Amino acid sequence: MLSGELRATAGRVRLRGADVTHFPPDRLSRMGVGRSYQTANVFPELTCEECMWLAAQSRAHTSMIFFSPAARIAGAERALQACGLMARRSTRAGELSYGEQRQLEIGMVLATEPSLLLLDEPLAGLGHDEASRIVALLREVARDRTLVLVEHDMDAVFSIADTVTVLVGGRVLERGSPEQIRASPAVREAYLGTEQP
Amino acid sequence: MIARILLVAGALALLAVGFSGDRFWLQFMGKAMIGCIFAMSLDLLVGYTGLVSLAHAAFFGLAAYLLAGLSNAAGFVNPLATLPICLAGAAAAALVIGWLSLRAAGVYFIMVTLAFTQMFYYLFNDAPGLGGSDGLYVQERPRFLGLDFSERTTAYFAIWIALVIVYLLLLRMLRAPFGHVLVGIRANEQRMRSLGYPTRRYKLTAFVIAGTLAGLCGYLDATLYGFVNPAQFSWRQSGLVLMTVLLGGKGTLYGPALGALLLTFVEHYGERVTEHWNALIGALVIAVVLFLPRGLAGLLRD
């Protein structure tokens, strides 16, 4: 709903004060909302470089350019570098490991130079090493951008987030800094209760 | 590399046919080359954008009828006037049909485009003022600067030039940002939208470009034969060109052109062997789809 893919039946979504409730995804993206998906959602038949090119080209005023060949874009190169896929630039996205696809996924969002990133479970289905690489990348990204992250991996959440909102059954249970959440009895009870001594 | 050499050799061979002066071959190969342009223009949609359209015959037929109408009713013979008008007519129809059809996706898009083709077919088939099922003659074919396009050799060279220009134009377009965006849409449209591309606008643009080129084919066909008929609107034509694209190898541009040449020959020689030559084409398509999923172009690439 925040990224415009689902229609809101009630309520309002505001972005920097503007009502964007019924804006389509492409318009939100051009307003600086970047979104990544829960499962790697890349262009399997294109190379990493081409995927990144498409992401960066989306910031051009128009891509209705018919007669001059597509040129390399600095933003695409930077994003490839940032997500650590420089060495894999000519590999097809579909042939990457799942972890690399997630890196590419986040790199593509970065190439659109968003001011707000919506990340849906960026660590889902990743091994430990891959997850820590993504966490490092996200920490880097979060330094000068707003990140909204949905994640089950608590270690990752505590190491990236400034503010944590805990949901139980679709309702907000608690909201606060990682320390507050860690100390919250309600959260403990809901999520950690049976496991913690 | 091999493909490129074959391509240049093929273009030169087609050019050489133009100097033969043989009336049969000029018309036969002229028709085949129109089929090449027709299939390449559909490949822009099917192979690159991922849109399977059955409206392609509508734009072909519309431009052909427009030429007949301009010639018969208004006496327009200068192609500098008739060509832009016919192309604009096809483009306008593509804009309207595309704008409406692209609201649907997948199989619904296919059905909506089919419905439009059928509408045009019955309109031109049943309206007596438009020649009805017999069609119309183009009384005065295009001519200017001493070039008379009712001459088969002249028409043939015009078609050859159109084929080369359209091929180079499409190639250029596909290497430009626009072409890359189309491929992105085919690969993952949802992701393209979340990256900020208004994808429907790009699909509509591709649809109009392809429709305009289909109109060019109709114009050339009416010029070559001096005759238009409602069968040009039939969904069979739309289906046949779609088959040509698959046979040749979608998403390659030269593949569908190759497919068009092959189909013209199969149709011609098949007709001599058996009146059920359609079955031959059917068998050919099944064989290609099963054993050469990337079409004839796949053979060249390996």
Side-chain angles (χ1 to χ4, degrees), chain B:
Chain B
M1 194 59 210
I2 298 173
R4 194 172 297 172
I5 294 169
L6 285 175
L7 217 60
V8 173
L12 291 176
L14 286 171
L15 182 64
V17 173
F19 295 102
S20 70
D22 183 293
R23 285 180 57 78
F24 168 76
W25 280 103
L26 286 174
Q27 189 167 60
F28 183 71
M29 292 312 292
K31 181 185 161 199
M33 288 196 297
I34 293 172
C36 292
I37 305 178
F38 199 37
M40 288 194 305
S41 67
L42 184 65
D43 194 29
L44 180 67
L45 297 181
V46 175
Y48 289 94
T49 320
L51 287 173
V52 178
S53 165
L54 286 176
H56 230 49
F59 311 125
F60 183 107
L62 197 68
Y65 266 83
L66 266 174
L67 177 65
L70 285 169
S71 160
N72 299 353
F76 279 16
V77 293
N78 191 336
L80 292 181
T82 53
L83 183 61
I85 296 174
C86 292
L87 293 189
L95 185 66
V96 174
I97 293 179
W99 188 78
L100 291 167
S101 320
L102 285 169
R103 283 161 196 272
V107 74
Y108 298 100
F109 172 78
I110 302 176
M111 295 321 288
V112 175
T113 54
L114 173 60
F116 276 112
T117 308
Q118 290 295 77
M119 269 168 54
F120 275 101
Y121 173 74
Y122 284 108
L123 177 68
F124 283 85
N125 193 57
D126 298 340
L130 299 170
S133 58
D134 292 338
L136 290 170
Y137 283 98
V138 183
Q139 282 161 10
E140 298 259 12
R141 279 189 252 177
R143 59 166 190 268
F144 82 127
L145 294 179
L147 291 174
D148 182 354
F149 290 95
S150 60
E151 287 281 330
R152 281 196 188 164
T153 303
T154 314
Y156 184 89
F157 283 124
I159 296 169
W160 187 83
I161 291 169
L163 174 62
V164 171
I165 290 178
V166 168
Y167 177 74
L168 294 176
L169 218 63
L170 284 174
L171 204 61
R172 185 103 201 230
M173 195 180 292
L174 290 165
R175 287 180 183 162
F178 179 71
H180 289 243
V181 171
L182 294 188
V183 170
I185 291 174
R186 180 194 67 197
N188 190 342
E189 186 179 354
Q190 179 203 30
R191 196 71 175 93
M192 285 299 276
R193 231 178 292 136
S194 79
L195 287 177
Y197 292 97
T199 52
R200 196 187 287 165
R201 203 177 303 164
Y202 286 91
K203 288 195 289 186
L204 183 57
T205 308
F207 195 83
V208 171
I209 292 171
T212 310
L213 292 177
L216 173 67
C217 296
Y219 182 93
L220 293 171
D221 190 81
T223 302
L224 181 66
Y225 284 91
F227 176 69
V228 296
N229 72 81
Q232 291 168 333
F233 289 104
S234 72
W235 71 277
R236 194 177 162 274
Q237 291 297 330
S238 284
L240 208 58
V241 63
L242 182 59
M243 228 154 65
T244 311
V245 171
L246 297 181
L247 190 72
K250 68 183 161 73
T252 57
L253 219 53
Y254 63 87
L258 216 60
L261 290 176
L262 180 74
L263 269 190
T264 318
F265 277 100
V266 170
E267 186 175 331
H268 179 67
Y269 289 103
E271 255 172 340
R272 292 184 179 181
V273 179
T274 161
E275 59 182 294
H276 303 296
W277 55 272
N278 268 318
L280 288 180
I281 292 184
L284 187 66
V285 169
I286 292 172
V288 166
V289 169
L290 285 181
F291 302 113
L292 295 172
R294 290 185 299 145
L296 297 172
L299 275 181
L300 287 179
R301 217 165 253 190
D302 295 336

